[in-house]
Amino acid sequence: TQLLEQSPQFLSIQEGENLTVYCNSSSVFSSLQWYRQEPGEGPVLLVTVVTGGEVKKLKRLTFQFGDARKDSSLHITAAQPGDTGLYLCAGERVGETSGSRLTFGEGTQLTVNP
Amino acid sequence: KAGVTQTPRYLIKTRGQQVTLSCSPISGHRSVSWYQQTPGQGLQFLFEYFSETQRNKGNFPGRFSGRQFSNSRSEMNVSTLELGDSALYLCASSVQGLAVNEQFFGPGTRLTVL
């Protein structure tokens, strides 16, 4: 069982549409990070959310951290073909041993068709 | 600032062989973490090194090992390779000592075991 459940797993939409990707867990996270990964490359950090209820915006991307710090969402407005990629949520669980150890969701493969 | 670098980018080995992968973190970053990414399992945490000491370890067999040098560069070794070890191996570095430990990934080493 994945500690971080991402949905949907696959998403294929037309340019200009809006979409939301969800990242849920029964565990509490001290922080949650969203990454985007392109084929053959490493994940690129998009944003980190730390405070419950926090909302962060990055151009057309809006990230939200749940009040209880157990879930997060990524909303993309007016998607463009350049948004195509694998979106990953990852977090550090509260109570985890010290140091860096990210738990990853399975990822959402987004395809934006022109 | 240069990003995380990993060498080699691609490797082909046969079952039973061993392999060593290298990672150079971002300058000033003292923590290096290693992850294995496969289509079926997603990103799985291998281990983390900080100040030349392994600080965290994931659920991988002892065939997977690593080390960190005084300049924070890290290597991971996989002995007695199995077909299932074929994966993208990612290294990530972080500063440590901050309230939130953001991790920055390298491009990965694609290992194919035949």
Side-chain angles (χ1 to χ4, degrees), chain A residues 33 35 37 40 42-43 48 50 97-102, chain B residues 9 35 37 48 55-57 94 96 100-103 106:
Chain A
Q33 299 169 16
Y35 292 86
Q37 185 179 23
T48 300
V50 178
T97 54
S98 64
S100 296
R101 179 181 180 143
L102 287 177
Chain B
R9 289 293 309 274
Y35 294 83
Q37 186 176 28
E48 182 221 0
R55 190 162 61 170
N56 276 307
K57 189 176 188 307
S94 62
Q96 289 299 296
V100 179
N101 293 313
E102 292 181 329
Q103 293 193 25

mmCIF file with all atom_site columns, all heavy atoms in Angstrom, chain A residues 33 35 37 40 42-43 48 50 97-102, chain B residues 9 35 37 48 55-57 94 96 100-103 106:
data_model
loop_
_atom_site.group_PDB
_atom_site.id
_atom_site.type_symbol
_atom_site.label_atom_id
_atom_site.label_alt_id
_atom_site.label_comp_id
_atom_site.label_asym_id
_atom_site.label_entity_id
_atom_site.label_seq_id
_atom_site.pdbx_PDB_ins_code
_atom_site.Cartn_x
_atom_site.Cartn_y
_atom_site.Cartn_z
_atom_site.occupancy
_atom_site.B_iso_or_equiv
_atom_site.pdbx_formal_charge
_atom_site.auth_seq_id
_atom_site.auth_comp_id
_atom_site.auth_asym_id
_atom_site.auth_atom_id
_atom_site.pdbx_PDB_model_num
ATOM 1   N N   . GLN A 1 33  ? 6.115  18.146 -1.124  1.00 0.00 ? 33  GLN A N   1
ATOM 2   C CA  . GLN A 1 33  ? 6.721  18.751 -2.298  1.00 0.00 ? 33  GLN A CA  1
ATOM 3   C C   . GLN A 1 33  ? 6.092  18.179 -3.553  1.00 0.00 ? 33  GLN A C   1
ATOM 4   O O   . GLN A 1 33  ? 5.701  17.014 -3.594  1.00 0.00 ? 33  GLN A O   1
ATOM 5   C CB  . GLN A 1 33  ? 8.230  18.489 -2.282  1.00 0.00 ? 33  GLN A CB  1
ATOM 6   C CG  . GLN A 1 33  ? 8.894  19.099 -1.060  1.00 0.00 ? 33  GLN A CG  1
ATOM 7   C CD  . GLN A 1 33  ? 10.321 18.654 -0.839  1.00 0.00 ? 33  GLN A CD  1
ATOM 8   O OE1 . GLN A 1 33  ? 10.955 18.105 -1.737  1.00 0.00 ? 33  GLN A OE1 1
ATOM 9   N NE2 . GLN A 1 33  ? 10.857 18.906 0.345   1.00 0.00 ? 33  GLN A NE2 1
ATOM 10  N N   . TYR A 1 35  ? 6.803  17.653 -7.678  1.00 0.00 ? 35  TYR A N   1
ATOM 11  C CA  . TYR A 1 35  ? 7.842  17.607 -8.698  1.00 0.00 ? 35  TYR A CA  1
ATOM 12  C C   . TYR A 1 35  ? 7.206  17.338 -10.053 1.00 0.00 ? 35  TYR A C   1
ATOM 13  O O   . TYR A 1 35  ? 6.128  16.736 -10.139 1.00 0.00 ? 35  TYR A O   1
ATOM 14  C CB  . TYR A 1 35  ? 8.840  16.467 -8.413  1.00 0.00 ? 35  TYR A CB  1
ATOM 15  C CG  . TYR A 1 35  ? 9.697  16.646 -7.182  1.00 0.00 ? 35  TYR A CG  1
ATOM 16  C CD1 . TYR A 1 35  ? 9.245  16.258 -5.930  1.00 0.00 ? 35  TYR A CD1 1
ATOM 17  C CD2 . TYR A 1 35  ? 10.983 17.169 -7.299  1.00 0.00 ? 35  TYR A CD2 1
ATOM 18  C CE1 . TYR A 1 35  ? 10.049 16.393 -4.809  1.00 0.00 ? 35  TYR A CE1 1
ATOM 19  C CE2 . TYR A 1 35  ? 11.799 17.305 -6.180  1.00 0.00 ? 35  TYR A CE2 1
ATOM 20  C CZ  . TYR A 1 35  ? 11.324 16.917 -4.943  1.00 0.00 ? 35  TYR A CZ  1
ATOM 21  O OH  . TYR A 1 35  ? 12.124 17.057 -3.832  1.00 0.00 ? 35  TYR A OH  1
ATOM 22  N N   . GLN A 1 37  ? 8.492  15.538 -13.727 1.00 0.00 ? 37  GLN A N   1
ATOM 23  C CA  . GLN A 1 37  ? 9.572  14.761 -14.323 1.00 0.00 ? 37  GLN A CA  1
ATOM 24  C C   . GLN A 1 37  ? 9.274  14.511 -15.790 1.00 0.00 ? 37  GLN A C   1
ATOM 25  O O   . GLN A 1 37  ? 8.169  14.124 -16.154 1.00 0.00 ? 37  GLN A O   1
ATOM 26  C CB  . GLN A 1 37  ? 9.746  13.424 -13.586 1.00 0.00 ? 37  GLN A CB  1
ATOM 27  C CG  . GLN A 1 37  ? 10.916 12.600 -14.055 1.00 0.00 ? 37  GLN A CG  1
ATOM 28  C CD  . GLN A 1 37  ? 11.064 11.303 -13.274 1.00 0.00 ? 37  GLN A CD  1
ATOM 29  O OE1 . GLN A 1 37  ? 10.102 10.815 -12.683 1.00 0.00 ? 37  GLN A OE1 1
ATOM 30  N NE2 . GLN A 1 37  ? 12.260 10.736 -13.251 1.00 0.00 ? 37  GLN A NE2 1
ATOM 31  N N   . GLY A 1 40  ? 13.420 10.332 -19.042 1.00 0.00 ? 40  GLY A N   1
ATOM 32  C CA  . GLY A 1 40  ? 14.870 10.258 -19.035 1.00 0.00 ? 40  GLY A CA  1
ATOM 33  C C   . GLY A 1 40  ? 15.556 11.284 -18.162 1.00 0.00 ? 40  GLY A C   1
ATOM 34  O O   . GLY A 1 40  ? 16.789 11.378 -18.167 1.00 0.00 ? 40  GLY A O   1
ATOM 35  N N   . GLY A 1 42  ? 15.621 13.599 -14.201 1.00 0.00 ? 42  GLY A N   1
ATOM 36  C CA  . GLY A 1 42  ? 15.227 13.538 -12.812 1.00 0.00 ? 42  GLY A CA  1
ATOM 37  C C   . GLY A 1 42  ? 14.074 14.478 -12.520 1.00 0.00 ? 42  GLY A C   1
ATOM 38  O O   . GLY A 1 42  ? 13.794 15.403 -13.288 1.00 0.00 ? 42  GLY A O   1
ATOM 39  N N   . PRO A 1 43  ? 13.369 14.255 -11.403 1.00 0.00 ? 43  PRO A N   1
ATOM 40  C CA  . PRO A 1 43  ? 12.264 15.154 -11.030 1.00 0.00 ? 43  PRO A CA  1
ATOM 41  C C   . PRO A 1 43  ? 12.775 16.564 -10.747 1.00 0.00 ? 43  PRO A C   1
ATOM 42  O O   . PRO A 1 43  ? 13.843 16.732 -10.157 1.00 0.00 ? 43  PRO A O   1
ATOM 43  C CB  . PRO A 1 43  ? 11.717 14.509 -9.752  1.00 0.00 ? 43  PRO A CB  1
ATOM 44  C CG  . PRO A 1 43  ? 12.206 13.096 -9.771  1.00 0.00 ? 43  PRO A CG  1
ATOM 45  C CD  . PRO A 1 43  ? 13.523 13.144 -10.459 1.00 0.00 ? 43  PRO A CD  1
ATOM 46  N N   . THR A 1 48  ? 7.154  23.640 -2.510  1.00 0.00 ? 48  THR A N   1
ATOM 47  C CA  . THR A 1 48  ? 7.082  22.970 -1.211  1.00 0.00 ? 48  THR A CA  1
ATOM 48  C C   . THR A 1 48  ? 6.012  23.670 -0.395  1.00 0.00 ? 48  THR A C   1
ATOM 49  O O   . THR A 1 48  ? 5.998  24.902 -0.302  1.00 0.00 ? 48  THR A O   1
ATOM 50  C CB  . THR A 1 48  ? 8.423  23.059 -0.465  1.00 0.00 ? 48  THR A CB  1
ATOM 51  O OG1 . THR A 1 48  ? 9.435  22.421 -1.246  1.00 0.00 ? 48  THR A OG1 1
ATOM 52  C CG2 . THR A 1 48  ? 8.330  22.382 0.891   1.00 0.00 ? 48  THR A CG2 1
ATOM 53  N N   . VAL A 1 50  ? 4.185  23.739 3.479   1.00 0.00 ? 50  VAL A N   1
ATOM 54  C CA  . VAL A 1 50  ? 4.595  23.387 4.831   1.00 0.00 ? 50  VAL A CA  1
ATOM 55  C C   . VAL A 1 50  ? 3.452  23.535 5.848   1.00 0.00 ? 50  VAL A C   1
ATOM 56  O O   . VAL A 1 50  ? 3.295  22.702 6.728   1.00 0.00 ? 50  VAL A O   1
ATOM 57  C CB  . VAL A 1 50  ? 5.782  24.265 5.276   1.00 0.00 ? 50  VAL A CB  1
ATOM 58  C CG1 . VAL A 1 50  ? 6.205  23.940 6.704   1.00 0.00 ? 50  VAL A CG1 1
ATOM 59  C CG2 . VAL A 1 50  ? 6.950  24.083 4.330   1.00 0.00 ? 50  VAL A CG2 1
ATOM 60  N N   . THR A 1 97  ? 12.482 9.380  11.044  1.00 0.00 ? 97  THR A N   1
ATOM 61  C CA  . THR A 1 97  ? 13.807 9.611  11.624  1.00 0.00 ? 97  THR A CA  1
ATOM 62  C C   . THR A 1 97  ? 14.399 10.884 11.038  1.00 0.00 ? 97  THR A C   1
ATOM 63  O O   . THR A 1 97  ? 14.007 11.335 9.967   1.00 0.00 ? 97  THR A O   1
ATOM 64  C CB  . THR A 1 97  ? 14.751 8.437  11.326  1.00 0.00 ? 97  THR A CB  1
ATOM 65  O OG1 . THR A 1 97  ? 14.766 8.227  9.915   1.00 0.00 ? 97  THR A OG1 1
ATOM 66  C CG2 . THR A 1 97  ? 14.264 7.184  12.011  1.00 0.00 ? 97  THR A CG2 1
ATOM 67  N N   . SER A 1 98  ? 15.333 11.457 11.710  1.00 0.00 ? 98  SER A N   1
ATOM 68  C CA  . SER A 1 98  ? 15.918 12.726 11.269  1.00 0.00 ? 98  SER A CA  1
ATOM 69  C C   . SER A 1 98  ? 16.587 12.551 9.919   1.00 0.00 ? 98  SER A C   1
ATOM 70  O O   . SER A 1 98  ? 16.947 11.448 9.524   1.00 0.00 ? 98  SER A O   1
ATOM 71  C CB  . SER A 1 98  ? 16.936 13.203 12.298  1.00 0.00 ? 98  SER A CB  1
ATOM 72  O OG  . SER A 1 98  ? 18.004 12.289 12.372  1.00 0.00 ? 98  SER A OG  1
ATOM 73  N N   . GLY A 1 99  ? 16.739 13.636 9.235   1.00 0.00 ? 99  GLY A N   1
ATOM 74  C CA  . GLY A 1 99  ? 17.380 13.577 7.936   1.00 0.00 ? 99  GLY A CA  1
ATOM 75  C C   . GLY A 1 99  ? 16.377 13.640 6.815   1.00 0.00 ? 99  GLY A C   1
ATOM 76  O O   . GLY A 1 99  ? 15.205 13.920 7.018   1.00 0.00 ? 99  GLY A O   1
ATOM 77  N N   . SER A 1 100 ? 16.847 13.388 5.618   1.00 0.00 ? 100 SER A N   1
ATOM 78  C CA  . SER A 1 100 ? 16.016 13.499 4.433   1.00 0.00 ? 100 SER A CA  1
ATOM 79  C C   . SER A 1 100 ? 15.554 12.133 3.981   1.00 0.00 ? 100 SER A C   1
ATOM 80  O O   . SER A 1 100 ? 16.361 11.250 3.722   1.00 0.00 ? 100 SER A O   1
ATOM 81  C CB  . SER A 1 100 ? 16.817 14.155 3.307   1.00 0.00 ? 100 SER A CB  1
ATOM 82  O OG  . SER A 1 100 ? 17.161 15.471 3.667   1.00 0.00 ? 100 SER A OG  1
ATOM 83  N N   . ARG A 1 101 ? 14.260 11.951 3.901   1.00 0.00 ? 101 ARG A N   1
ATOM 84  C CA  . ARG A 1 101 ? 13.716 10.702 3.398   1.00 0.00 ? 101 ARG A CA  1
ATOM 85  C C   . ARG A 1 101 ? 12.343 11.008 2.858   1.00 0.00 ? 101 ARG A C   1
ATOM 86  O O   . ARG A 1 101 ? 11.376 11.137 3.619   1.00 0.00 ? 101 ARG A O   1
ATOM 87  C CB  . ARG A 1 101 ? 13.623 9.673  4.516   1.00 0.00 ? 101 ARG A CB  1
ATOM 88  C CG  . ARG A 1 101 ? 13.037 8.367  4.034   1.00 0.00 ? 101 ARG A CG  1
ATOM 89  C CD  . ARG A 1 101 ? 12.909 7.355  5.144   1.00 0.00 ? 101 ARG A CD  1
ATOM 90  N NE  . ARG A 1 101 ? 12.349 6.111  4.626   1.00 0.00 ? 101 ARG A NE  1
ATOM 91  C CZ  . ARG A 1 101 ? 12.722 4.914  5.041   1.00 0.00 ? 101 ARG A CZ  1
ATOM 92  N NH1 . ARG A 1 101 ? 13.636 4.798  5.973   1.00 0.00 ? 101 ARG A NH1 1
ATOM 93  N NH2 . ARG A 1 101 ? 12.200 3.837  4.534   1.00 0.00 ? 101 ARG A NH2 1
ATOM 94  N N   . LEU A 1 102 ? 12.243 11.144 1.559   1.00 0.00 ? 102 LEU A N   1
ATOM 95  C CA  . LEU A 1 102 ? 10.970 11.470 0.952   1.00 0.00 ? 102 LEU A CA  1
ATOM 96  C C   . LEU A 1 102 ? 10.177 10.213 0.622   1.00 0.00 ? 102 LEU A C   1
ATOM 97  O O   . LEU A 1 102 ? 10.723 9.238  0.110   1.00 0.00 ? 102 LEU A O   1
ATOM 98  C CB  . LEU A 1 102 ? 11.180 12.277 -0.331  1.00 0.00 ? 102 LEU A CB  1
ATOM 99  C CG  . LEU A 1 102 ? 11.633 13.728 -0.170  1.00 0.00 ? 102 LEU A CG  1
ATOM 100 C CD1 . LEU A 1 102 ? 11.850 14.354 -1.546  1.00 0.00 ? 102 LEU A CD1 1
ATOM 101 C CD2 . LEU A 1 102 ? 10.615 14.533 0.614   1.00 0.00 ? 102 LEU A CD2 1
ATOM 102 N N   . ARG B 2 9   ? 25.418 8.262  -17.252 1.00 0.00 ? 9   ARG B N   1
ATOM 103 C CA  . ARG B 2 9   ? 23.989 8.442  -17.497 1.00 0.00 ? 9   ARG B CA  1
ATOM 104 C C   . ARG B 2 9   ? 23.332 7.130  -17.878 1.00 0.00 ? 9   ARG B C   1
ATOM 105 O O   . ARG B 2 9   ? 22.173 6.899  -17.576 1.00 0.00 ? 9   ARG B O   1
ATOM 106 C CB  . ARG B 2 9   ? 23.760 9.465  -18.607 1.00 0.00 ? 9   ARG B CB  1
ATOM 107 C CG  . ARG B 2 9   ? 24.084 10.901 -18.228 1.00 0.00 ? 9   ARG B CG  1
ATOM 108 C CD  . ARG B 2 9   ? 23.134 11.451 -17.158 1.00 0.00 ? 9   ARG B CD  1
ATOM 109 N NE  . ARG B 2 9   ? 21.740 11.267 -17.476 1.00 0.00 ? 9   ARG B NE  1
ATOM 110 C CZ  . ARG B 2 9   ? 21.010 12.088 -18.219 1.00 0.00 ? 9   ARG B CZ  1
ATOM 111 N NH1 . ARG B 2 9   ? 21.554 13.177 -18.725 1.00 0.00 ? 9   ARG B NH1 1
ATOM 112 N NH2 . ARG B 2 9   ? 19.720 11.837 -18.442 1.00 0.00 ? 9   ARG B NH2 1
ATOM 113 N N   . TYR B 2 35  ? 17.565 7.117  -4.744  1.00 0.00 ? 35  TYR B N   1
ATOM 114 C CA  . TYR B 2 35  ? 16.250 6.540  -4.979  1.00 0.00 ? 35  TYR B CA  1
ATOM 115 C C   . TYR B 2 35  ? 16.324 5.640  -6.218  1.00 0.00 ? 35  TYR B C   1
ATOM 116 O O   . TYR B 2 35  ? 17.089 5.895  -7.147  1.00 0.00 ? 35  TYR B O   1
ATOM 117 C CB  . TYR B 2 35  ? 15.200 7.635  -5.246  1.00 0.00 ? 35  TYR B CB  1
ATOM 118 C CG  . TYR B 2 35  ? 14.933 8.531  -4.072  1.00 0.00 ? 35  TYR B CG  1
ATOM 119 C CD1 . TYR B 2 35  ? 15.753 9.615  -3.786  1.00 0.00 ? 35  TYR B CD1 1
ATOM 120 C CD2 . TYR B 2 35  ? 13.842 8.308  -3.237  1.00 0.00 ? 35  TYR B CD2 1
ATOM 121 C CE1 . TYR B 2 35  ? 15.512 10.442 -2.704  1.00 0.00 ? 35  TYR B CE1 1
ATOM 122 C CE2 . TYR B 2 35  ? 13.579 9.139  -2.154  1.00 0.00 ? 35  TYR B CE2 1
ATOM 123 C CZ  . TYR B 2 35  ? 14.431 10.197 -1.892  1.00 0.00 ? 35  TYR B CZ  1
ATOM 124 O OH  . TYR B 2 35  ? 14.180 11.017 -0.821  1.00 0.00 ? 35  TYR B OH  1
ATOM 125 N N   . GLN B 2 37  ? 13.892 4.200  -9.270  1.00 0.00 ? 37  GLN B N   1
ATOM 126 C CA  . GLN B 2 37  ? 12.608 4.434  -9.925  1.00 0.00 ? 37  GLN B CA  1
ATOM 127 C C   . GLN B 2 37  ? 12.362 3.368  -10.978 1.00 0.00 ? 37  GLN B C   1
ATOM 128 O O   . GLN B 2 37  ? 13.153 3.189  -11.898 1.00 0.00 ? 37  GLN B O   1
ATOM 129 C CB  . GLN B 2 37  ? 12.555 5.822  -10.580 1.00 0.00 ? 37  GLN B CB  1
ATOM 130 C CG  . GLN B 2 37  ? 11.186 6.167  -11.142 1.00 0.00 ? 37  GLN B CG  1
ATOM 131 C CD  . GLN B 2 37  ? 11.099 7.580  -11.703 1.00 0.00 ? 37  GLN B CD  1
ATOM 132 O OE1 . GLN B 2 37  ? 12.096 8.143  -12.153 1.00 0.00 ? 37  GLN B OE1 1
ATOM 133 N NE2 . GLN B 2 37  ? 9.922  8.192  -11.644 1.00 0.00 ? 37  GLN B NE2 1
ATOM 134 N N   . GLU B 2 48  ? 20.280 7.470  2.648   1.00 0.00 ? 48  GLU B N   1
ATOM 135 C CA  . GLU B 2 48  ? 20.725 8.855  2.710   1.00 0.00 ? 48  GLU B CA  1
ATOM 136 C C   . GLU B 2 48  ? 22.054 8.942  3.450   1.00 0.00 ? 48  GLU B C   1
ATOM 137 O O   . GLU B 2 48  ? 22.246 8.236  4.451   1.00 0.00 ? 48  GLU B O   1
ATOM 138 C CB  . GLU B 2 48  ? 19.702 9.730  3.441   1.00 0.00 ? 48  GLU B CB  1
ATOM 139 C CG  . GLU B 2 48  ? 20.105 11.203 3.482   1.00 0.00 ? 48  GLU B CG  1
ATOM 140 C CD  . GLU B 2 48  ? 19.828 11.877 4.828   1.00 0.00 ? 48  GLU B CD  1
ATOM 141 O OE1 . GLU B 2 48  ? 19.326 11.214 5.756   1.00 0.00 ? 48  GLU B OE1 1
ATOM 142 O OE2 . GLU B 2 48  ? 20.143 13.086 4.941   1.00 0.00 ? 48  GLU B OE2 1
ATOM 143 N N   . ARG B 2 55  ? 22.583 7.836  7.247   1.00 0.00 ? 55  ARG B N   1
ATOM 144 C CA  . ARG B 2 55  ? 21.676 8.314  8.291   1.00 0.00 ? 55  ARG B CA  1
ATOM 145 C C   . ARG B 2 55  ? 20.307 7.658  8.190   1.00 0.00 ? 55  ARG B C   1
ATOM 146 O O   . ARG B 2 55  ? 19.589 7.547  9.168   1.00 0.00 ? 55  ARG B O   1
ATOM 147 C CB  . ARG B 2 55  ? 21.569 9.823  8.198   1.00 0.00 ? 55  ARG B CB  1
ATOM 148 C CG  . ARG B 2 55  ? 20.852 10.453 9.360   1.00 0.00 ? 55  ARG B CG  1
ATOM 149 C CD  . ARG B 2 55  ? 21.146 11.935 9.455   1.00 0.00 ? 55  ARG B CD  1
ATOM 150 N NE  . ARG B 2 55  ? 20.719 12.676 8.285   1.00 0.00 ? 55  ARG B NE  1
ATOM 151 C CZ  . ARG B 2 55  ? 20.697 13.998 8.232   1.00 0.00 ? 55  ARG B CZ  1
ATOM 152 N NH1 . ARG B 2 55  ? 21.042 14.720 9.280   1.00 0.00 ? 55  ARG B NH1 1
ATOM 153 N NH2 . ARG B 2 55  ? 20.337 14.623 7.126   1.00 0.00 ? 55  ARG B NH2 1
ATOM 154 N N   . ASN B 2 56  ? 19.900 7.269  6.984   1.00 0.00 ? 56  ASN B N   1
ATOM 155 C CA  . ASN B 2 56  ? 18.611 6.625  6.778   1.00 0.00 ? 56  ASN B CA  1
ATOM 156 C C   . ASN B 2 56  ? 18.787 5.512  5.771   1.00 0.00 ? 56  ASN B C   1
ATOM 157 O O   . ASN B 2 56  ? 19.632 5.606  4.865   1.00 0.00 ? 56  ASN B O   1
ATOM 158 C CB  . ASN B 2 56  ? 17.583 7.615  6.214   1.00 0.00 ? 56  ASN B CB  1
ATOM 159 C CG  . ASN B 2 56  ? 16.918 8.442  7.273   1.00 0.00 ? 56  ASN B CG  1
ATOM 160 O OD1 . ASN B 2 56  ? 16.384 7.918  8.239   1.00 0.00 ? 56  ASN B OD1 1
ATOM 161 N ND2 . ASN B 2 56  ? 16.960 9.747  7.110   1.00 0.00 ? 56  ASN B ND2 1
ATOM 162 N N   . LYS B 2 57  ? 17.960 4.475  5.899   1.00 0.00 ? 57  LYS B N   1
ATOM 163 C CA  . LYS B 2 57  ? 18.057 3.362  4.965   1.00 0.00 ? 57  LYS B CA  1
ATOM 164 C C   . LYS B 2 57  ? 16.665 2.865  4.626   1.00 0.00 ? 57  LYS B C   1
ATOM 165 O O   . LYS B 2 57  ? 15.819 2.738  5.520   1.00 0.00 ? 57  LYS B O   1
ATOM 166 C CB  . LYS B 2 57  ? 18.876 2.229  5.583   1.00 0.00 ? 57  LYS B CB  1
ATOM 167 C CG  . LYS B 2 57  ? 19.225 1.109  4.616   1.00 0.00 ? 57  LYS B CG  1
ATOM 168 C CD  . LYS B 2 57  ? 20.131 0.081  5.295   1.00 0.00 ? 57  LYS B CD  1
ATOM 169 C CE  . LYS B 2 57  ? 20.661 -0.941 4.316   1.00 0.00 ? 57  LYS B CE  1
ATOM 170 N NZ  . LYS B 2 57  ? 19.623 -1.602 3.534   1.00 0.00 ? 57  LYS B NZ  1
ATOM 171 N N   . SER B 2 94  ? 20.421 17.860 -0.593  1.00 0.00 ? 94  SER B N   1
ATOM 172 C CA  . SER B 2 94  ? 19.744 18.915 0.151   1.00 0.00 ? 94  SER B CA  1
ATOM 173 C C   . SER B 2 94  ? 20.730 19.563 1.107   1.00 0.00 ? 94  SER B C   1
ATOM 174 O O   . SER B 2 94  ? 21.751 18.980 1.452   1.00 0.00 ? 94  SER B O   1
ATOM 175 C CB  . SER B 2 94  ? 18.525 18.380 0.899   1.00 0.00 ? 94  SER B CB  1
ATOM 176 O OG  . SER B 2 94  ? 18.905 17.413 1.855   1.00 0.00 ? 94  SER B OG  1
ATOM 177 N N   . GLN B 2 96  ? 20.281 20.622 4.375   1.00 0.00 ? 96  GLN B N   1
ATOM 178 C CA  . GLN B 2 96  ? 20.160 20.195 5.768   1.00 0.00 ? 96  GLN B CA  1
ATOM 179 C C   . GLN B 2 96  ? 20.301 21.385 6.703   1.00 0.00 ? 96  GLN B C   1
ATOM 180 O O   . GLN B 2 96  ? 20.907 22.390 6.381   1.00 0.00 ? 96  GLN B O   1
ATOM 181 C CB  . GLN B 2 96  ? 21.193 19.125 6.144   1.00 0.00 ? 96  GLN B CB  1
ATOM 182 C CG  . GLN B 2 96  ? 20.901 17.801 5.493   1.00 0.00 ? 96  GLN B CG  1
ATOM 183 C CD  . GLN B 2 96  ? 19.566 17.232 5.905   1.00 0.00 ? 96  GLN B CD  1
ATOM 184 O OE1 . GLN B 2 96  ? 19.352 16.912 7.063   1.00 0.00 ? 96  GLN B OE1 1
ATOM 185 N NE2 . GLN B 2 96  ? 18.651 17.103 4.953   1.00 0.00 ? 96  GLN B NE2 1
ATOM 186 N N   . VAL B 2 100 ? 12.792 23.113 6.421   1.00 0.00 ? 100 VAL B N   1
ATOM 187 C CA  . VAL B 2 100 ? 12.289 22.200 5.400   1.00 0.00 ? 100 VAL B CA  1
ATOM 188 C C   . VAL B 2 100 ? 13.456 21.769 4.533   1.00 0.00 ? 100 VAL B C   1
ATOM 189 O O   . VAL B 2 100 ? 14.198 22.603 4.024   1.00 0.00 ? 100 VAL B O   1
ATOM 190 C CB  . VAL B 2 100 ? 11.219 22.874 4.521   1.00 0.00 ? 100 VAL B CB  1
ATOM 191 C CG1 . VAL B 2 100 ? 10.735 21.915 3.449   1.00 0.00 ? 100 VAL B CG1 1
ATOM 192 C CG2 . VAL B 2 100 ? 10.060 23.347 5.381   1.00 0.00 ? 100 VAL B CG2 1
ATOM 193 N N   . ASN B 2 101 ? 13.604 20.464 4.381   1.00 0.00 ? 101 ASN B N   1
ATOM 194 C CA  . ASN B 2 101 ? 14.723 19.950 3.589   1.00 0.00 ? 101 ASN B CA  1
ATOM 195 C C   . ASN B 2 101 ? 14.281 19.661 2.170   1.00 0.00 ? 101 ASN B C   1
ATOM 196 O O   . ASN B 2 101 ? 13.836 18.565 1.861   1.00 0.00 ? 101 ASN B O   1
ATOM 197 C CB  . ASN B 2 101 ? 15.290 18.691 4.239   1.00 0.00 ? 101 ASN B CB  1
ATOM 198 C CG  . ASN B 2 101 ? 15.952 18.993 5.558   1.00 0.00 ? 101 ASN B CG  1
ATOM 199 O OD1 . ASN B 2 101 ? 16.740 19.925 5.652   1.00 0.00 ? 101 ASN B OD1 1
ATOM 200 N ND2 . ASN B 2 101 ? 15.631 18.226 6.571   1.00 0.00 ? 101 ASN B ND2 1
ATOM 201 N N   . GLU B 2 102 ? 14.386 20.651 1.296   1.00 0.00 ? 102 GLU B N   1
ATOM 202 C CA  . GLU B 2 102 ? 14.031 20.439 -0.094  1.00 0.00 ? 102 GLU B CA  1
ATOM 203 C C   . GLU B 2 102 ? 15.130 19.647 -0.785  1.00 0.00 ? 102 GLU B C   1
ATOM 204 O O   . GLU B 2 102 ? 16.312 19.928 -0.601  1.00 0.00 ? 102 GLU B O   1
ATOM 205 C CB  . GLU B 2 102 ? 13.825 21.786 -0.786  1.00 0.00 ? 102 GLU B CB  1
ATOM 206 C CG  . GLU B 2 102 ? 12.605 22.542 -0.282  1.00 0.00 ? 102 GLU B CG  1
ATOM 207 C CD  . GLU B 2 102 ? 12.407 23.846 -0.994  1.00 0.00 ? 102 GLU B CD  1
ATOM 208 O OE1 . GLU B 2 102 ? 13.412 24.461 -1.411  1.00 0.00 ? 102 GLU B OE1 1
ATOM 209 O OE2 . GLU B 2 102 ? 11.241 24.284 -1.154  1.00 0.00 ? 102 GLU B OE2 1
ATOM 210 N N   . GLN B 2 103 ? 14.714 18.668 -1.564  1.00 0.00 ? 103 GLN B N   1
ATOM 211 C CA  . GLN B 2 103 ? 15.676 17.834 -2.252  1.00 0.00 ? 103 GLN B CA  1
ATOM 212 C C   . GLN B 2 103 ? 15.694 18.164 -3.740  1.00 0.00 ? 103 GLN B C   1
ATOM 213 O O   . GLN B 2 103 ? 14.647 18.340 -4.351  1.00 0.00 ? 103 GLN B O   1
ATOM 214 C CB  . GLN B 2 103 ? 15.345 16.353 -2.043  1.00 0.00 ? 103 GLN B CB  1
ATOM 215 C CG  . GLN B 2 103 ? 15.526 15.928 -0.604  1.00 0.00 ? 103 GLN B CG  1
ATOM 216 C CD  . GLN B 2 103 ? 15.503 14.433 -0.437  1.00 0.00 ? 103 GLN B CD  1
ATOM 217 O OE1 . GLN B 2 103 ? 15.791 13.677 -1.351  1.00 0.00 ? 103 GLN B OE1 1
ATOM 218 N NE2 . GLN B 2 103 ? 15.158 13.995 0.760   1.00 0.00 ? 103 GLN B NE2 1
ATOM 219 N N   . GLY B 2 106 ? 19.298 14.850 -9.472  1.00 0.00 ? 106 GLY B N   1
ATOM 220 C CA  . GLY B 2 106 ? 20.109 14.787 -10.664 1.00 0.00 ? 106 GLY B CA  1
ATOM 221 C C   . GLY B 2 106 ? 19.321 14.137 -11.794 1.00 0.00 ? 106 GLY B C   1
ATOM 222 O O   . GLY B 2 106 ? 18.170 13.740 -11.609 1.00 0.00 ? 106 GLY B O   1
#
